[in-house]
């Protein structure tokens, strides 16, 4: 039986670049996103409207969104932390806004200085504005699989946040293992309990490779029915030689795994590597990705 | 239900060090193995009796085996390619000899210059000598999940080699994904078909992290019943900044995954990190391991 296809959501230009040690020049960001638009990816998160003092690496959100060449059929999204960020984003041709809240009270307080409940309340205005402007909404549940401040996260809390996103009109919710605490057994159990959709809302899996378990967790989520996966081209955000490496699972590594298993991604591996070349030229050094060095397995070697 | 415990077979001093770019001094090898002996590991492959011209990094096999301090309850093994290597190994206090043959004819020819059948025939004398000397035997099936020269490997061929090892008197057979071609779906299917034991002979899983799939494959093998896993402390053999990185899955990353899933390993994570410290001091630079940088998840943070 042919395994189900999957949807890959590229988050490198946002979740990856915000953690790199140097500023990725605006023109390089635009060139990178344009290359990604030619890979077959259908979803790209391109930037964030978090305050430039908090994430200086993405201070050029407006220029990036105005500079890219949107490809037909690709949905471009941006992260927004609050109504102000939302209104700035709505001045651009962005297709989708992504909201975020932690499943850990302690983490949400550290991250945005308020309780989970207050975050969700604040989303009401954003959702109204975004939907009225014809943009779609994606919700992130940060630290959904564990929090370095709180430890284990009750699944009921994750479910409650998913439901809140549903009421806001989101079209998908992404469950994030923000600090790489999840293990594949846990991930399998979480997705088995929640389902590929929770109360009609599709769930995505967002894994960081902090402890090398990103792909194992993605496999466990896939086995449990999840069909949408976030990843970062080149493994951006996780320099392999840096202590504290915490990048997302690399898009090309995820694509290789899924395609090797027979799960179609619609993404051209070689074109992804062209995007990683641009990253290497811009950042210097090696990337955290494995397959950008090794390529795909040679099953039809001469 | 408590998940089954697993046995970790440390192969770093052999499979890892043979691929490093520099010679690991004999005293450092001995110190590393002695540190590994204090971690709770019950199986350590310490060296190889392959000809020093082929693997110069392990030319000190005799000195290493005579220099280490064997801990009670730990089984120390060495790889032997032929009868000559076997006889040299039997002069040492090694507990177990490991034999190897490829599941790919092309790979076996490139590796040892003969057919699979001739390799197996040659093992008869080695097995007799080793067993007569009171040592146990382990068999490796190299390129069991795919070969860069031949592509896909028929599972029947792997089964035939396992059976041959059984007839030789081996106590375990390790299936190796030598060049990192396996994917977790395939691994799950292979172990589901072969079983945790094949005709009474326990099977081990030996994954290389060339494409970042080592832990995903280990998880898939575990799910399919496999309970013995090979790994290399520090991810030896796979420098993260080198093109062509091809190390084994790192022991501490494997131990972290298994322990996080509730599968007991009996291995002390912190003592493993002390072994990685010695490797870092000796080789310089960063290791391919993830958890030696990140540590284990903080579930009980203050």
């Amino acid at each position: 039986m042919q395994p189900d296809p999957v949807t890959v959501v590229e988050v490198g230009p946002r979740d990856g670049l915000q953690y790199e040690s140097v500023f990725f020049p605006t023109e390089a960001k635009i060139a990178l996103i344009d290359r990604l638009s030619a890979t077959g990816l259908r979803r790209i998160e391109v930037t964030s409207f978090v305050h430039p003092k908090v994430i200086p690496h993405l201070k050029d959100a407006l220029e990036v969104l105005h500079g890219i060449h949107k490809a037909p059929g690709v949905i471009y999204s941006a992260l927004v932390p609050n109504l102000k960020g939302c209104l700035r984003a709505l001045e651009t041709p962005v297709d989708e806004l992504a909201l975020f809240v932690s499943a850990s009270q302690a983490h949400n307080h550290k991250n945005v200085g308020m309780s989970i409940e207050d975050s969700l309340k604040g989303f009401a205005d954003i959702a109204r504005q975004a939907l009225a402007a014809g943009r779609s909404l994606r919700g992130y549940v940060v630290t959904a699989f564990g929090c370095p401040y709180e430890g284990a996260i009750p699944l009921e809390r994750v479910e409650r946040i998913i439901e809140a996103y549903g009421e806001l009109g989101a079209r998908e919710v992404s469950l994030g293992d923000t600090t790489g605490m999840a293990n594949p057994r846990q991930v399998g159990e979480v997705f088995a309990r929640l389902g590929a959709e929770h109360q009609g809302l599709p769930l995505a899996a967002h894994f960081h490779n902090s402890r090398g378990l990103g792909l194992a967790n993605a496999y466990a989520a896939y086995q449990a029915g999840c069909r949408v996966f976030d990843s970062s081209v080149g493994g951006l955000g996780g320099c392999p030689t840096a202590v504290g490496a915490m990048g997302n699972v690399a898009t090309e590594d995820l694509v290789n795994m899924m395609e090797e298993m027979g799960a179609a991604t619609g993404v051209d591996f070689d074109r992804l590597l062209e995007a990683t070349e641009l990253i290497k030229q811009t950042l210097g050094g090696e990337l955290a990705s494995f397959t950008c060095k090794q390529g795909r397995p040679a099953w039809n070697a001469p």
Side-chain angles (χ1 to χ4, degrees), chain A:
Chain A
M1 206 182 69
Q2 185 66 23
D4 286 350
V6 297
T7 298
V8 178
V9 180
E10 171 61 48
V11 298
R14 194 276 304 172
D15 201 17
L17 292 183
Q18 72 180 3
Y19 290 120
E20 287 293 331
S21 52
V22 297
F23 181 74
F24 204 84
T26 306
E27 320 78 63
K29 281 178 182 139
I30 292 167
L32 173 63
I33 295 161
D34 285 350
R35 282 203 193 184
L36 291 169
S37 296
T39 59
L41 282 162
R42 287 288 164 266
R43 310 265 299 272
I44 308 175
E45 194 168 283
V46 294
T47 190
S48 157
F49 285 89
V50 170
H51 196 285
K53 276 193 187 153
V54 180
I55 313 267
H57 284 5
L58 301 182
K59 64 185 178 189
D60 52 6
L62 282 174
E63 295 93 312
V64 167
L65 269 162
H66 284 295
I68 59 172
H69 301 83
K70 287 176 70 177
V74 180
I75 294 164
Y76 299 85
S77 67
L79 196 75
V80 297
N82 50 34
L83 186 60
K84 193 175 163 199
C86 164
L87 295 175
R88 287 182 71 220
L90 292 180
E91 294 164 22
T92 75
V94 75
D95 301 305
E96 181 165 284
L97 302 190
L99 307 173
F100 62 97
V101 62
S102 297
S104 149
Q105 291 286 12
H107 191 271
N108 208 58
H109 272 282
K110 292 227 183 207
N111 207 19
V112 292
M114 62 181 94
S115 69
I116 295 172
E117 293 70 25
D118 286 343
S119 275
L120 293 174
K121 269 185 217 151
F123 290 165
D125 271 348
I126 301 177
R128 241 191 319 272
Q129 296 275 355
L131 296 173
R135 322 297 171 97
S136 58
L137 281 178
R138 179 178 221 231
Y140 280 108
V141 185
V142 174
T143 61
F145 299 89
C147 167
Y149 311 121
E150 261 186 46
I153 298 292
L155 194 55
E156 295 70 28
R157 214 188 285 159
V158 175
E159 291 179 292
R160 195 159 49 81
I161 296 171
I162 297 169
E163 286 154 23
Y165 276 130
E167 288 160 16
L168 288 164
R171 59 99 150 218
E172 182 179 274
V173 174
S174 176
L175 306 185
D177 179 31
T178 312
T179 63
M181 293 173 73
N183 69 72
R185 181 187 175 206
Q186 170 199 16
V187 167
E189 286 169 0
V190 165
F191 277 94
R193 225 175 105 185
L194 296 179
E197 300 190 349
H198 185 70
Q199 303 195 344
L201 199 56
L203 300 181
H206 180 107
F207 296 118
H208 284 257
N209 216 20
S210 322
R211 292 176 178 89
L213 287 168
L215 291 172
N217 289 334
Y219 171 64
Y222 181 78
Q223 274 198 309
C226 179
R227 296 293 176 262
V228 186
F229 295 88
D230 298 358
S231 59
S232 278
V233 62
L236 273 174
C239 172
T241 56
V243 172
M246 54 179 294
N248 297 91
V249 59
T251 303
E252 54 275 26
D253 293 347
L254 178 73
V255 164
N256 173 65
M257 178 178 84
M258 290 297 176
E259 296 282 345
E260 287 294 312
M261 296 201 297
T265 63
V267 181
D268 187 309
F269 182 83
D270 293 334
R271 292 201 164 179
L272 272 182
L273 291 198
E274 290 169 19
T276 66
E277 282 304 316
L278 191 150
I279 299 170
K280 276 194 277 189
Q281 285 159 20
T282 308
L283 291 179
E286 288 295 331
L287 301 177
S289 150
F290 289 86
T291 55
C292 85
K293 302 177 193 97
Q294 287 287 331
R296 294 196 54 194
W299 291 107
N300 301 306

